[in-house]
Amino acid sequence: MTAKPDPFIHPITRLSICGLLAAGADWVEFAALRDAAGISDSVLSKQSVALEDAGYVEVRKGAVGRRPRTWFRLTAQGRQALEGHLAWLAQLEEAVSASTRDAQQARPVPADRHQPRRVPPPLLGSS
Amino acid sequence: MRDVARDPAALELLRVQRSRLADRMRPPWWYLPGAAIVWALIFAAPFASRYLPQGDYWAIAVAALAVACLLQWGLDRATGLKVGPRPLRVLRDGLFYYRPGRPALIAILVVSLATTLTEGSLIRRGLLADAIVVAALAVAAEVALQQARLREIRRELRDGGGAA
């Protein structure tokens, strides 16, 4: 798998939807996806249509009694794009933490004010 | 809600969201008693084939299958996640395609096969009481394994399954 950013799933909402659909379940229901992603119904509807049009997500609509039920699944194309994007993000995370470590190491260590002052031992013969 | 992922923070957010999704994979109160009924019906099959007419044996088999399908459908509906067996995917991806919770699923199959064989052997030798004890213990073991499977699925959902 190659680490490659995908501008289409880079927006956080789309990334969340794809990441949750790739977590291991075959199909995820609308309410479960909405609650886990922490987004509103309208945002999920809008983004899922965009992802479906791009071929990243498959949508299945049904009903239980009078209540409509919508299920989502990640397509093979969506999974491939997500894996590449997540690998790229992981590389970025690694690079950021490495540069933070380097910056901390390069900074001079400030003298500790609370450390007790070292008193030189008295010279022999002095009183 | 932020519009664009601020890179490394997005991965952390995704971990939190996956954890929330995994928490939904908790069985409703009726699931484990229902599973116990299914396993009791399955382990009643060796007795039925020996002591009941052929028609009754098939009636028990169909009842076990129907209750199992109903339980899976109910679990999918209650959790909003479909992670159970997908018979049609076996046709597409082969018998050994990966499912979340596979180690526990293999243990479930091994226990059911061993129990059926042991029961059959005990019934043939006329040790009916022993066969009943074996069946009862196997039902308890299968329900415990079913719980373990759900725990495994939760863990895999939290860890992100195949992605990342």
Side-chain angles (χ1 to χ4, degrees), chain A residues 12 16 23 26-27 29 36, chain B residues 2 7 17 20 80 82 89 161:
Chain A
I12 191 72
S16 295
D26 280 331
W27 293 89
E29 208 259 325
Chain B
R2 282 172 295 149
D7 311 322
Q17 289 170 334
R20 256 186 250 152
K82 285 188 185 179
R89 260 194 78 179

Side-chain angles (χ1 to χ4, degrees), chain A residues 59-82:
Chain A
V59 181
R60 185 190 282 174
K61 293 190 180 193
V64 178
R66 286 182 180 181
R67 298 180 66 185
R69 291 245 166 189
T70 307
W71 294 83
F72 299 100
R73 173 165 84 166
L74 204 62
T75 61
Q77 187 191 343
R79 186 172 295 274
Q80 200 180 357
L82 177 76

